[in-house]
Amino acid sequence: MKGVVTHRALAGGGLLLLALLGLIAAALTHGQISLTLGQAIRAVIDPAADPVASQIVAQIRMPRMLTGVLAGAGLGVAGVLMQALFRNPVADAWSLGLTAGGQLGVALAVAGAAFAGPAAVSFVSTFKGLDLTLGAAIGVSAAAALVLSLGRRLGTITLLVVGLMIWFTAQGLVSVILHFASRAGGRVFGGWNDGTFTGVTGADLPLLAIPILIGLAVAVAAGKPLTSLLLGETYARSLGADVGRLRWLVVGATVLMVAPITAWCGPVTFIGLIVPHFARAIAGTARIGPLLPLAALSGALLAVAADFVVHLPWDQHFLHLNAVLALVGAPVVILLLLFSPGMRGYR
């Protein structure tokens, strides 16, 4: 049985990787200005040969595409961790209110920068990604600690309702905070709050990538004991797992991945919620180890695909990243609520 799962996971992972590479090639060559694949490759290898193509590929499309890969992979893996930790098929950073906590942290950072600076121009100039990341990390951590402290007392649906209430509370507090912030701060927050992969430059990518990669490494380390936790705390303890330490390890990994993504890209919805189900369907198992690479690839594929649709050469640009993700994610969530074995007992 284990060999069958391994073969399914390897085959599925290979197909996902091929699809992702194909989509990356399409994302680099298509947009308002179309390029051939050869032009895109030369723009990276020899920028001086075609400065215009080099600017389009190296400075605009490549950072946006790599941001989508990192954000999608991180959110997909964070979704696997959250659903395993809470044993809840519709748990993820967004549905449990962690992303809303990040929004609140960023709003506080914006308001703080606005009050600290003497003018809007200096405010914008001091508004750097590290400030946002720190604000988002504090907000996501606080929301995660709250959900973790409540999670053991609440059932599947009740926990989601609590996550929804955290979201509403955070949105209310954000509105109050922005009411007292400057207009420049409100505009900056409004642009960030749309959710997009376009705001990250090549120089910003290491700041986004490093915490996500550390979070992925922690997730891999926690994979085996987290699998035992799927069968209950007593079973996990009988195998030697320190359940309390494991919970905080998983939450720490989630914060490391979700906070920088929320800070740099805004609140990105649905990826962490639906991708773990794709990964389980491909692997044919709930074991965390095989799911992590499949969730990372599926999340990256979904994120880059949604961003690709947004940036096709439309006559008008009213499409937003979260709108495209909602068109895919909302029907999947409805199907889960109707047919998931984990939800049947609560209908």
Side-chain angles (χ1 to χ4, degrees), residues 6-260:
T6 302
H7 288 140
R8 282 185 62 161
L10 287 174
L15 291 174
L16 287 172
L17 183 60
L18 287 176
L20 180 61
L21 291 175
L23 194 56
I24 287 172
L28 292 177
T29 55
H30 289 75
Q32 289 296 333
I33 298 176
S34 293
L35 303 170
T36 65
L37 185 58
Q39 283 178 302
I41 294 173
R42 280 195 300 276
V44 176
I45 296 175
D46 186 12
D50 190 343
V52 175
S54 174
Q55 186 176 14
I56 292 172
V57 174
Q59 296 184 26
I60 299 175
R61 293 178 182 172
M62 184 71 80
R64 194 183 75 215
M65 181 270 300
L66 291 175
T67 301
V69 170
L70 286 169
L75 291 173
V77 170
V80 170
L81 298 182
M82 288 290 96
Q83 291 182 12
L85 181 64
F86 292 103
R87 284 177 277 173
N88 188 324
V90 285
D92 83 323
W94 173 63
S95 65
L96 295 181
L98 275 62
T99 303
Q103 286 177 282
L104 179 58
V106 170
L108 286 169
V110 168
F115 283 116
V121 174
S122 64
F123 154 66
V124 173
S125 66
T126 57
F127 191 79
K128 300 296 185 183
L130 286 176
D131 299 334
L132 290 179
T133 303
L134 182 60
I138 293 172
V140 171
S141 300
L146 176 61
V147 171
L148 188 61
S149 64
L150 296 174
R152 299 177 67 184
R153 308 176 191 174
L154 303 176
T156 303
I157 293 295
T158 313
L159 185 62
L160 295 178
V161 173
V162 169
L164 187 63
M165 293 304 107
I166 293 174
W167 187 87
F168 278 121
T169 304
Q171 299 309 307
L173 290 172
V174 166
S175 296
V176 171
I177 291 167
L178 293 181
H179 179 74
F180 294 102
S182 67
R183 290 186 178 180
R187 285 196 296 272
V188 170
F189 183 85
W192 168 86
N193 201 40
D194 275 344
T196 178
F197 300 140
T198 59
V200 181
T201 66
D204 296 330
L205 276 171
L207 297 175
L208 173 67
I210 290 172
I212 293 175
L213 294 176
I214 295 173
L216 289 172
V218 175
V220 171
K224 188 172 182 181
L226 191 56
T227 299
S228 66
L229 190 62
L230 291 173
L231 298 176
E233 293 184 15
T234 304
Y235 180 76
R237 287 195 176 96
S238 72
L239 295 180
D242 184 338
V243 174
R245 179 175 174 272
L246 176 62
R247 283 201 186 92
W248 288 111
L249 194 66
V250 170
V251 169
T254 303
V255 171
L256 280 168
M257 289 183 281
V258 173

